[in-house]
Amino acid sequence: PARLMSPASSSKPLNYRLTLTKGEKMPNHVNVRVKFTRALAKLYLEDYSLIKRKCSERSIVFRLGFYLANDLAESGLTVDCEYNRNGEKPKSLMNKHFTYPDIIVHSRGDNENNCLVVEVKTPNDTNLDHFRKDREKLIGFTLETSYRYEQGVHAYIAATTCSLVWYVNGEIREHIRYAVDSDTHELSETERSDNTFDVWYTRYSVR
């Protein structure tokens, strides 16, 4: 199975790291997705103790956003956690007030570079209604014309398993499941997972 290696690994680069020819520019949506995946690997390498000890979701989201921001430092984009503004107005979706995501990659002050919206769940919160509300946010932020984030991701971060559900234009485009190596904390793609998050998504997708 494919392995998601840590950024510090000396192993051969994996297929999630895209290679460009000299002078070629990586599209923003691809670039940000690759960098998010790399930030996730960095989180498991550097902050596995937060995940294993089931520390608060906010502490994990902060570290994930920190690594993503570092990797995007020269992009001209900004990474914000729980950003609650749409221009000068409160951030909200249609028929919902004060809705703001865990992490976004964007340019502050306008909606011209809305690249990525992220919702995170951990084993601390496996309430199915909260999964549904996160999903509604990802659909809204990637679909509503006032925002239209290029892509969204619903991430489940746990000590033995990790999952990413990618959204584009309000629809699920990919559901990737990983097992976590107990020694190296590297992620290996797997076809099956029985955590509450993946089971919920599987049942939802076959309705």
Coordinates of all heavy atoms in Angstrom, one line a residue, residues 1-83:
P1 N 0.8 -1.2 0.0 CA 0.0 0.0 0.0 C 0.9 1.3 0.0 O 2.0 1.2 0.4 CB -0.8 -0.1 1.3 CG 0.1 -1.0 2.2 CD 0.8 -1.9 1.3
A2 N 0.3 2.3 -0.5 CA 1.0 3.6 -0.5 C 1.3 4.1 0.9 O 0.5 3.9 1.8 CB 0.2 4.7 -1.2
R3 N 2.5 4.7 1.1 CA 2.9 5.1 2.4 C 3.0 6.6 2.4 O 3.7 7.2 1.5 CB 4.2 4.5 2.9 CG 4.0 3.0 3.1 CD 5.3 2.4 3.6 NE 5.7 2.8 4.9 CZ 5.3 2.3 6.0 NH1 4.4 1.4 6.0 NH2 5.7 2.8 7.2
L4 N 2.5 7.3 3.4 CA 2.6 8.8 3.5 C 3.8 9.0 4.5 O 3.6 8.9 5.7 CB 1.3 9.4 4.1 CG 1.3 10.9 4.3 CD1 1.7 11.6 3.1 CD2 -0.1 11.3 4.7
M5 N 5.0 9.3 4.0 CA 6.2 9.4 4.8 C 6.2 10.8 5.4 O 5.7 11.7 4.9 CB 7.4 9.1 4.0 CG 7.4 7.8 3.2 SD 7.5 6.4 4.2 CE 9.3 6.4 4.6
S6 N 6.9 10.9 6.5 CA 7.1 12.2 7.2 C 8.0 13.0 6.3 O 8.9 12.5 5.5 CB 7.8 12.0 8.5 OG 9.1 11.5 8.4
P7 N 7.9 14.4 6.4 CA 8.8 15.2 5.6 C 10.2 15.0 5.9 O 11.1 15.4 5.1 CB 8.3 16.6 6.0 CG 6.9 16.4 6.6 CD 7.0 15.1 7.2
A8 N 10.6 14.6 7.1 CA 12.0 14.4 7.5 C 12.6 13.1 7.0 O 13.8 12.9 7.1 CB 12.1 14.5 9.0
S9 N 11.7 12.2 6.4 CA 12.2 10.9 5.9 C 13.2 11.1 4.8 O 13.1 11.9 3.9 CB 11.0 10.1 5.5 OG 11.5 8.9 4.9
S10 N 14.2 10.2 4.8 CA 15.2 10.3 3.7 C 14.8 9.3 2.6 O 15.6 9.1 1.6 CB 16.6 9.9 4.2 OG 16.5 8.6 4.8
S11 N 13.7 8.7 2.7 CA 13.2 7.7 1.7 C 12.9 8.4 0.4 O 12.7 9.7 0.3 CB 12.0 6.9 2.2 OG 12.3 6.3 3.4
K12 N 12.8 7.7 -0.7 CA 12.4 8.2 -2.0 C 11.1 8.9 -1.9 O 10.1 8.5 -1.3 CB 12.3 7.0 -3.0 CG 12.0 7.5 -4.4 CD 11.9 6.3 -5.3 CE 11.5 6.7 -6.7 NZ 11.4 5.5 -7.6
P13 N 11.0 10.1 -2.5 CA 9.7 10.9 -2.5 C 8.6 10.1 -3.0 O 8.7 9.3 -3.9 CB 10.0 12.1 -3.5 CG 11.5 12.2 -3.4 CD 12.0 10.8 -3.3
L14 N 7.4 10.3 -2.4 CA 6.2 9.5 -2.8 C 5.4 10.2 -3.8 O 5.6 11.4 -4.1 CB 5.4 9.2 -1.5 CG 6.2 8.5 -0.4 CD1 5.5 8.4 0.9 CD2 6.6 7.1 -0.9
N15 N 4.3 9.6 -4.2 CA 3.5 10.1 -5.3 C 2.7 11.3 -4.9 O 2.1 12.0 -5.7 CB 2.6 9.1 -5.9 CG 1.7 8.4 -4.9 OD1 1.6 8.8 -3.8 ND2 1.0 7.3 -5.4
Y16 N 2.5 11.5 -3.5 CA 1.7 12.7 -3.1 C 2.5 14.0 -3.3 O 2.0 15.1 -3.2 CB 1.2 12.6 -1.7 CG 2.2 12.9 -0.6 CD1 2.2 14.1 0.0 CD2 3.0 11.9 -0.1 CE1 3.1 14.4 1.0 CE2 3.9 12.1 0.9 CZ 4.0 13.4 1.4 OH 4.8 13.6 2.4
R17 N 3.9 13.9 -3.5 CA 4.7 15.0 -3.7 C 4.8 15.2 -5.2 O 5.5 14.4 -5.9 CB 6.1 14.9 -3.1 CG 6.0 14.7 -1.6 CD 7.4 14.6 -1.0 NE 7.4 14.3 0.4 CZ 8.5 14.0 1.1 NH1 9.6 13.9 0.5 NH2 8.4 13.8 2.4
L18 N 4.3 16.2 -5.8 CA 4.3 16.4 -7.2 C 5.6 17.0 -7.7 O 6.1 17.9 -7.0 CB 3.1 17.2 -7.7 CG 1.7 16.7 -7.2 CD1 0.6 17.6 -7.8 CD2 1.5 15.3 -7.6
T19 N 6.2 16.6 -8.8 CA 7.4 17.1 -9.3 C 7.1 18.0 -10.5 O 6.4 17.6 -11.4 CB 8.4 16.0 -9.7 OG1 8.6 15.1 -8.6 CG2 9.7 16.5 -10.2
L20 N 7.6 19.2 -10.5 CA 7.4 20.1 -11.6 C 8.7 20.3 -12.4 O 9.8 20.3 -11.8 CB 6.9 21.5 -11.1 CG 5.6 21.5 -10.3 CD1 5.3 22.9 -9.8 CD2 4.5 20.9 -11.1
T21 N 8.6 20.6 -13.7 CA 9.8 21.0 -14.4 C 10.2 22.4 -14.1 O 9.3 23.2 -13.6 CB 9.5 20.8 -15.9 OG1 8.4 21.6 -16.3 CG2 9.2 19.4 -16.3
K22 N 11.4 22.8 -14.4 CA 11.9 24.1 -14.1 C 11.0 25.2 -14.8 O 10.7 25.1 -16.0 CB 13.3 24.3 -14.6 CG 13.9 25.6 -14.1 CD 15.4 25.7 -14.5 CE 16.0 27.0 -14.1 NZ 17.4 27.1 -14.4
G23 N 10.5 26.1 -14.0 CA 9.7 27.2 -14.5 C 8.2 26.9 -14.5 O 7.4 27.8 -14.7
E24 N 7.8 25.7 -14.3 CA 6.4 25.3 -14.3 C 5.8 25.6 -13.0 O 6.4 25.4 -11.9 CB 6.3 23.8 -14.6 CG 4.9 23.3 -14.7 CD 4.8 21.8 -14.9 OE1 5.8 21.2 -15.0 OE2 3.6 21.3 -14.9
K25 N 4.6 26.2 -13.0 CA 3.9 26.6 -11.8 C 2.9 25.5 -11.4 O 2.1 25.1 -12.2 CB 3.3 27.9 -11.9 CG 2.6 28.5 -10.7 CD 2.1 29.9 -10.9 CE 1.5 30.4 -9.6 NZ 0.9 31.8 -9.9
M26 N 2.8 25.1 -10.2 CA 1.8 24.2 -9.7 C 0.5 25.0 -9.4 O 0.5 26.0 -8.8 CB 2.3 23.5 -8.4 CG 1.4 22.4 -7.9 SD 1.9 21.7 -6.3 CE 3.5 21.0 -6.8
P27 N -0.6 24.5 -9.9 CA -1.9 25.1 -9.7 C -2.1 25.2 -8.2 O -1.8 24.3 -7.4 CB -2.9 24.2 -10.3 CG -2.1 23.5 -11.4 CD -0.8 23.3 -10.8
N28 N -2.7 26.3 -7.7 CA -3.0 26.5 -6.3 C -3.7 25.4 -5.6 O -3.3 25.0 -4.5 CB -3.8 27.8 -6.1 CG -2.9 29.0 -5.8 OD1 -1.7 28.9 -5.6 ND2 -3.5 30.2 -5.9
H29 N -4.7 24.9 -6.3 CA -5.5 23.8 -5.6 C -4.7 22.6 -5.4 O -4.8 21.9 -4.4 CB -6.8 23.6 -6.3 CG -6.7 22.9 -7.6 ND1 -6.3 23.6 -8.8 CD2 -6.8 21.6 -8.0 CE1 -6.2 22.8 -9.8 NE2 -6.5 21.6 -9.4
V30 N -3.8 22.2 -6.4 CA -3.0 21.1 -6.2 C -1.9 21.3 -5.2 O -1.6 20.5 -4.3 CB -2.3 20.7 -7.6 CG1 -1.4 19.5 -7.4 CG2 -3.4 20.3 -8.6
N31 N -1.3 22.5 -5.3 CA -0.2 22.9 -4.4 C -0.6 22.8 -3.0 O 0.0 22.2 -2.1 CB 0.3 24.3 -4.8 CG 1.5 24.7 -4.0 OD1 2.3 23.9 -3.6 ND2 1.6 26.0 -3.7
V32 N -1.8 23.4 -2.7 CA -2.3 23.4 -1.3 C -2.7 22.0 -0.8 O -2.4 21.7 0.4 CB -3.5 24.4 -1.2 CG1 -4.2 24.3 0.2 CG2 -3.1 25.8 -1.4
R33 N -3.2 21.2 -1.6 CA -3.5 19.8 -1.2 C -2.3 19.1 -0.8 O -2.2 18.4 0.2 CB -4.3 19.1 -2.3 CG -4.6 17.7 -1.9 CD -5.6 17.0 -2.8 NE -5.7 15.6 -2.5 CZ -6.7 14.8 -3.0 NH1 -7.6 15.3 -3.7 NH2 -6.7 13.5 -2.7
V34 N -1.2 19.2 -1.7 CA 0.0 18.5 -1.4 C 0.6 19.0 -0.1 O 1.1 18.3 0.8 CB 1.0 18.8 -2.5 CG1 2.4 18.3 -2.2 CG2 0.6 18.0 -3.8
K35 N 0.6 20.3 0.1 CA 1.1 20.9 1.3 C 0.3 20.6 2.6 O 0.9 20.4 3.7 CB 1.3 22.4 1.2 CG 2.4 22.8 0.2 CD 2.5 24.3 0.0 CE 3.6 24.7 -1.0 NZ 5.0 24.2 -0.5
F36 N -1.0 20.4 2.4 CA -1.8 20.0 3.6 C -1.4 18.6 3.9 O -1.2 18.3 5.1 CB -3.3 20.0 3.2 CG -4.2 19.5 4.3 CD1 -4.5 20.3 5.4 CD2 -4.6 18.2 4.3 CE1 -5.3 19.8 6.4 CE2 -5.3 17.7 5.4 CZ -5.7 18.5 6.4
T37 N -1.2 17.7 3.0 CA -0.9 16.3 3.2 C 0.5 16.3 3.9 O 0.7 15.5 4.8 CB -0.8 15.5 1.9 OG1 -2.1 15.7 1.2 CG2 -0.6 14.1 2.2
R38 N 1.4 17.1 3.5 CA 2.7 17.2 4.1 C 2.7 17.7 5.5 O 3.3 17.2 6.4 CB 3.6 18.1 3.2 CG 5.1 17.9 3.5 CD 5.9 18.3 2.3 NE 5.7 19.6 1.8 CZ 6.0 20.0 0.6 NH1 6.5 19.2 -0.3 NH2 5.8 21.2 0.2
A39 N 1.8 18.7 5.8 CA 1.6 19.2 7.1 C 1.0 18.1 8.0 O 1.4 18.0 9.2 CB 0.7 20.4 7.1
L40 N 0.1 17.3 7.5 CA -0.4 16.2 8.3 C 0.6 15.2 8.7 O 0.7 14.8 9.8 CB -1.5 15.5 7.5 CG -2.3 14.4 8.2 CD1 -3.1 15.0 9.3 CD2 -3.2 13.7 7.2
A41 N 1.5 14.9 7.7 CA 2.6 14.0 8.1 C 3.5 14.6 9.1 O 4.0 13.9 10.0 CB 3.4 13.7 6.8
K42 N 3.8 15.9 9.0 CA 4.6 16.6 10.0 C 3.9 16.6 11.4 O 4.6 16.4 12.4 CB 4.8 18.0 9.6 CG 5.7 18.9 10.4 CD 7.2 18.6 10.2 CE 8.0 19.6 10.9 NZ 9.5 19.3 10.8
L43 N 2.6 16.7 11.4 CA 1.9 16.7 12.7 C 2.1 15.3 13.4 O 2.4 15.3 14.6 CB 0.4 16.9 12.4 CG -0.5 16.7 13.6 CD1 -0.4 17.9 14.6 CD2 -2.0 16.6 13.1
Y44 N 2.0 14.2 12.6 CA 2.2 12.9 13.2 C 3.6 12.7 13.6 O 3.9 12.0 14.6 CB 1.7 11.8 12.2 CG 0.3 11.5 12.3 CD1 -0.7 12.2 11.6 CD2 -0.2 10.5 13.2 CE1 -2.1 11.9 11.7 CE2 -1.5 10.2 13.3 CZ -2.5 10.9 12.6 OH -3.8 10.6 12.7
L45 N 4.6 13.3 12.9 CA 6.0 13.1 13.3 C 6.3 13.9 14.5 O 7.0 13.3 15.5 CB 6.9 13.6 12.1 CG 8.4 13.6 12.4 CD1 8.9 12.2 12.5 CD2 9.1 14.3 11.3
E46 N 5.9 15.1 14.6 CA 6.3 16.0 15.7 C 5.4 16.1 16.9 O 5.8 16.4 18.0 CB 6.5 17.5 15.1 CG 7.5 17.6 14.0 CD 8.9 17.4 14.4 OE1 9.2 17.4 15.7 OE2 9.8 17.2 13.6
D47 N 4.1 15.8 16.7 CA 3.2 16.0 17.7 C 2.3 14.8 18.0 O 1.1 14.9 18.4 CB 2.3 17.2 17.4 CG 3.1 18.5 17.4 OD1 3.6 18.9 18.4 OD2 3.1 19.1 16.3
Y48 N 2.9 13.6 17.8 CA 2.1 12.4 18.0 C 1.6 12.3 19.4 O 0.5 11.7 19.7 CB 2.9 11.2 17.6 CG 2.2 9.9 17.7 CD1 1.2 9.5 16.8 CD2 2.4 9.0 18.8 CE1 0.5 8.3 16.9 CE2 1.7 7.8 18.9 CZ 0.8 7.5 18.0 OH 0.1 6.3 18.1
S49 N 2.3 12.8 20.4 CA 1.9 12.7 21.8 C 0.6 13.5 22.0 O -0.2 13.0 22.8 CB 3.0 13.3 22.7 OG 3.2 14.7 22.4
L50 N 0.3 14.6 21.3 CA -1.0 15.2 21.4 C -2.1 14.3 20.9 O -3.2 14.3 21.5 CB -1.0 16.5 20.5 CG -0.1 17.7 21.0 CD1 -0.2 18.8 20.0 CD2 -0.5 18.2 22.4
I51 N -1.8 13.6 19.8 CA -2.8 12.7 19.2 C -3.1 11.5 20.1 O -4.2 11.2 20.4 CB -2.4 12.3 17.8 CG1 -2.2 13.5 16.9 CG2 -3.4 11.4 17.2 CD1 -1.5 13.3 15.6
K52 N -2.0 10.9 20.6 CA -2.1 9.7 21.4 C -2.8 10.0 22.7 O -3.6 9.1 23.2 CB -0.7 9.1 21.6 CG -0.7 7.8 22.4 CD 0.7 7.2 22.5 CE 0.7 5.9 23.3 NZ 2.1 5.4 23.4
R53 N -2.5 11.1 23.3 CA -3.0 11.4 24.6 C -4.4 12.0 24.5 O -5.0 12.4 25.5 CB -2.1 12.4 25.3 CG -0.8 11.8 25.7 CD 0.3 12.8 26.1 NE -0.2 13.6 27.2 CZ 0.2 14.8 27.5 NH1 1.1 15.4 26.6 NH2 -0.2 15.5 28.5
K54 N -5.0 12.1 23.3 CA -6.3 12.7 23.1 C -6.4 14.1 23.6 O -7.4 14.4 24.3 CB -7.4 11.7 23.6 CG -7.4 10.4 23.0 CD -8.6 9.5 23.5 CE -8.6 8.2 22.8 NZ -9.8 7.4 23.3
C55 N -5.5 14.9 23.3 CA -5.5 16.3 23.7 C -6.6 17.0 22.9 O -7.2 16.4 22.0 CB -4.2 17.0 23.5 SG -2.9 16.4 24.6
S56 N -7.0 18.2 23.3 CA -8.1 18.9 22.7 C -8.0 19.0 21.2 O -6.9 19.2 20.7 CB -8.3 20.2 23.3 OG -7.3 21.1 22.9
E57 N -9.1 19.0 20.5 CA -9.1 19.2 19.1 C -8.4 20.5 18.7 O -7.6 20.6 17.7 CB -10.5 19.2 18.5 CG -10.6 19.4 17.0 CD -12.1 19.5 16.6 OE1 -12.8 18.5 16.8 OE2 -12.5 20.5 16.0
R58 N -8.6 21.6 19.5 CA -8.0 22.9 19.1 C -6.5 22.8 19.2 O -5.8 23.5 18.4 CB -8.5 23.9 20.1 CG -10.0 24.3 19.8 CD -10.4 25.5 20.7 NE -11.8 25.9 20.4 CZ -12.4 26.9 21.0 NH1 -11.8 27.6 21.9 NH2 -13.7 27.2 20.6
S59 N -5.9 22.1 20.1 CA -4.5 22.0 20.2 C -3.9 21.3 19.0 O -2.9 21.6 18.4 CB -4.0 21.3 21.5 OG -4.4 19.9 21.5
I60 N -4.6 20.3 18.5 CA -4.2 19.5 17.3 C -4.4 20.4 16.0 O -3.5 20.5 15.2 CB -5.0 18.2 17.2 CG1 -4.5 17.3 18.3 CG2 -4.8 17.5 15.8 CD1 -5.4 16.0 18.5
V61 N -5.5 21.1 15.9 CA -5.8 22.0 14.8 C -4.7 23.1 14.7 O -4.2 23.4 13.6 CB -7.2 22.6 14.9 CG1 -7.4 23.7 13.9 CG2 -8.3 21.5 14.6
F62 N -4.4 23.6 15.9 CA -3.4 24.7 15.9 C -2.1 24.2 15.3 O -1.4 24.9 14.5 CB -3.1 25.2 17.3 CG -1.9 26.1 17.4 CD1 -2.0 27.4 17.0 CD2 -0.7 25.6 17.9 CE1 -0.8 28.2 17.0 CE2 0.4 26.4 18.0 CZ 0.3 27.7 17.6
R63 N -1.6 23.0 15.7 CA -0.3 22.5 15.2 C -0.4 22.2 13.7 O 0.6 22.5 13.0 CB 0.1 21.3 16.0 CG 0.4 21.6 17.5 CD 1.4 22.6 17.7 NE 2.8 22.1 17.3 CZ 3.9 22.9 17.3 NH1 3.8 24.2 17.7 NH2 5.0 22.4 17.0
L64 N -1.5 21.6 13.3 CA -1.7 21.3 11.9 C -1.6 22.6 11.1 O -1.0 22.7 10.0 CB -3.0 20.6 11.7 CG -3.4 20.2 10.2 CD1 -2.3 19.3 9.6 CD2 -4.7 19.5 10.2
G65 N -2.3 23.6 11.5 CA -2.3 24.9 10.8 C -1.0 25.6 10.8 O -0.6 26.2 9.9
F66 N -0.2 25.4 11.9 CA 1.1 25.9 12.1 C 2.0 25.3 11.0 O 2.8 26.1 10.3 CB 1.7 25.6 13.5 CG 3.1 26.0 13.7 CD1 3.5 27.3 13.8 CD2 4.1 25.0 13.7 CE1 4.8 27.6 14.0 CE2 5.4 25.3 13.9 CZ 5.8 26.6 14.1
Y67 N 2.0 24.0 10.8 CA 2.9 23.4 9.8 C 2.4 23.7 8.4 O 3.3 23.9 7.5 CB 2.9 21.9 10.0 CG 3.4 21.4 11.3 CD1 2.7 20.5 12.2 CD2 4.7 21.9 11.8 CE1 3.3 20.1 13.4 CE2 5.2 21.5 13.0 CZ 4.5 20.6 13.8 OH 5.0 20.2 15.0
L68 N 1.2 23.9 8.2 CA 0.7 24.2 6.9 C 1.1 25.7 6.5 O 1.5 26.0 5.4 CB -0.9 24.1 6.8 CG -1.5 24.4 5.5 CD1 -1.0 23.6 4.4 CD2 -3.1 24.3 5.7
A69 N 1.0 26.6 7.5 CA 1.4 28.0 7.3 C 2.9 28.1 7.0 O 3.3 28.8 6.1 CB 1.0 28.8 8.5
N70 N 3.7 27.3 7.7 CA 5.1 27.3 7.4 C 5.4 26.9 6.0 O 6.3 27.4 5.3 CB 5.9 26.4 8.4 CG 6.0 27.0 9.8 OD1 5.8 28.2 10.0 ND2 6.4 26.2 10.8
D71 N 4.7 25.9 5.5 CA 5.0 25.3 4.2 C 4.5 26.3 3.1 O 4.9 26.2 2.0 CB 4.3 24.0 4.0 CG 5.1 23.1 3.1 OD1 6.2 23.5 2.6 OD2 4.7 21.9 2.9
L72 N 3.5 27.1 3.5 CA 2.9 28.1 2.5 C 3.5 29.5 2.7 O 2.9 30.5 2.1 CB 1.4 28.1 2.6 CG 0.7 26.9 2.1 CD1 -0.8 26.9 2.6 CD2 0.7 26.9 0.6
A73 N 4.5 29.6 3.5 CA 5.1 31.0 3.8 C 5.4 31.9 2.6 O 5.2 33.1 2.7 CB 6.3 30.8 4.7
E74 N 5.8 31.3 1.6 CA 6.2 32.1 0.4 C 5.2 32.1 -0.7 O 5.4 32.6 -1.8 CB 7.6 31.5 -0.1 CG 8.7 31.6 0.8 CD 10.0 31.1 0.3 OE1 10.0 30.7 -0.9 OE2 11.0 31.1 1.0
S75 N 4.0 31.6 -0.4 CA 2.9 31.5 -1.4 C 2.1 32.8 -1.6 O 1.4 32.9 -2.6 CB 2.0 30.3 -1.1 OG 1.2 30.7 0.1
G76 N 2.1 33.7 -0.6 CA 1.3 34.8 -0.6 C -0.1 34.5 0.0 O -0.9 35.4 0.1
L77 N -0.3 33.3 0.4 CA -1.6 32.9 1.0 C -1.5 32.9 2.5 O -0.4 32.9 3.0 CB -2.0 31.5 0.5 CG -2.2 31.3 -1.0 CD1 -2.3 29.8 -1.3 CD2 -3.5 32.0 -1.4
T78 N -2.6 33.0 3.2 CA -2.6 33.0 4.6 C -3.4 31.8 5.1 O -4.4 31.4 4.6 CB -3.3 34.3 5.1 OG1 -2.6 35.4 4.6 CG2 -3.4 34.3 6.6
V79 N -2.9 31.2 6.2 CA -3.6 30.1 6.9 C -4.1 30.7 8.2 O -3.4 31.2 9.0 CB -2.6 28.9 7.2 CG1 -3.3 27.8 8.0 CG2 -2.0 28.4 5.9
D80 N -5.4 30.5 8.4 CA -6.1 31.0 9.6 C -6.9 29.9 10.3 O -7.5 29.1 9.6 CB -7.0 32.2 9.3 CG -6.2 33.5 9.2 OD1 -5.4 33.8 10.1 OD2 -6.5 34.2 8.2
C81 N -6.9 29.9 11.6 CA -7.8 28.9 12.3 C -9.0 29.7 12.9 O -8.9 30.8 13.5 CB -7.0 28.3 13.5 SG -5.6 27.3 13.0
E82 N -10.2 29.1 12.7 CA -11.4 29.6 13.2 C -11.6 31.1 12.8 O -12.1 31.9 13.6 CB -11.5 29.4 14.7 CG -11.5 28.0 15.1 CD -12.0 27.7 16.5 OE1 -12.3 28.7 17.2 OE2 -12.1 26.5 16.9
Y83 N -11.3 31.4 11.5 CA -11.4 32.7 11.0 C -12.9 33.0 10.8 O -13.7 32.3 10.2 CB -10.7 32.8 9.6 CG -10.6 34.2 9.0 CD1 -9.6 35.0 9.5 CD2 -11.4 34.6 8.0 CE1 -9.5 36.3 8.9 CE2 -11.3 35.8 7.5 CZ -10.3 36.7 7.9 OH -10.2 37.9 7.4

